[in-house]
């Protein structure tokens, strides 16, 4: 039971009113990366970025080119469970379409 100001007058000697403050922390974020390979088409990577990571066509193309030139690129930053789901969904989607697209996640 919380102690209110009016209750302080009823407190006995030596008692202390304590206010319990619980500080909530944001969950850690995880980076989801797409990796370059020699078989997955650029158009498929753009499709993945628009469909699973809510990127516009221009951003998806820019990220795809970064992946192509640098070996991997950041697709998004998410809480752990969402990042895991994205990795699983994209991996399944790529395999269904016979692409070896590698998707990984790491703590931010």
């Amino acid at each position: 039971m919380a102690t209110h100001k009016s209750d302080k007058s009823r407190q006995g000697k030596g008692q202390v009113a304590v206010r319990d403050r619980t500080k909530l922390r944001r969950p850690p974020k995880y980076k989801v990366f797409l990796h370059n390979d020699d078989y997955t088409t650029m158009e498929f990577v753009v499709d993945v970025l628009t469909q699973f990571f809510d990127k516009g066509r221009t951003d998806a193309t820019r990220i795809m080119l970064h992946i192509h030139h640098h070996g991997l690129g950041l697709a998004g930053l998410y809480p752990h469970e969402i990042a895991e789901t994205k990795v699983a969904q994209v991996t399944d989607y790529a395999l269904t379409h016979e692409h070896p697209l590698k998707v990984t996640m790491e703590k931010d």
Side-chain angles (χ1 to χ4, degrees):
M1 178 186 283
T3 304
H4 299 291
K5 273 188 171 184
S6 60
D7 292 337
K8 285 185 180 181
S9 60
R10 289 185 256 157
Q11 291 177 350
K13 213 172 197 178
Q15 290 182 342
V16 177
V18 177
R19 180 184 281 178
D20 186 21
R21 288 189 188 183
T22 303
K23 193 167 190 174
L24 299 177
R25 288 183 287 155
R26 291 184 184 262
K29 298 284 187 164
Y30 287 78
K31 297 175 184 175
V32 177
F33 292 102
L34 300 182
H35 297 257
N36 189 41
D37 63 65
D38 293 333
Y39 302 100
T40 304
T41 64
M42 292 179 177
E43 188 58 38
F44 186 80
V45 173
V46 170
D47 178 48
V48 164
L49 289 164
T50 57
Q51 185 173 339
F52 294 95
F53 298 97
D54 201 30
K55 303 294 182 191
R57 192 109 180 123
T58 302
D59 279 343
T61 301
R62 181 185 49 77
I63 295 167
M64 175 275 297
L65 288 171
H66 181 86
I67 294 166
H68 181 70
H69 293 293
H70 299 280
L72 81 155
L74 180 64
L77 189 63
Y78 304 96
H80 186 265
E81 293 79 16
I82 295 173
E84 274 186 331
T85 300
K86 297 278 186 190
V87 169
Q89 288 175 331
V90 172
T91 299
D92 289 346
Y93 184 73
L95 291 173
T96 300
H97 290 84
E98 299 180 354
H99 289 288
L101 181 62
K102 183 178 177 183
V103 187
T104 59
M105 62 184 262
E106 71 178 42
K107 195 170 185 178
D108 186 28

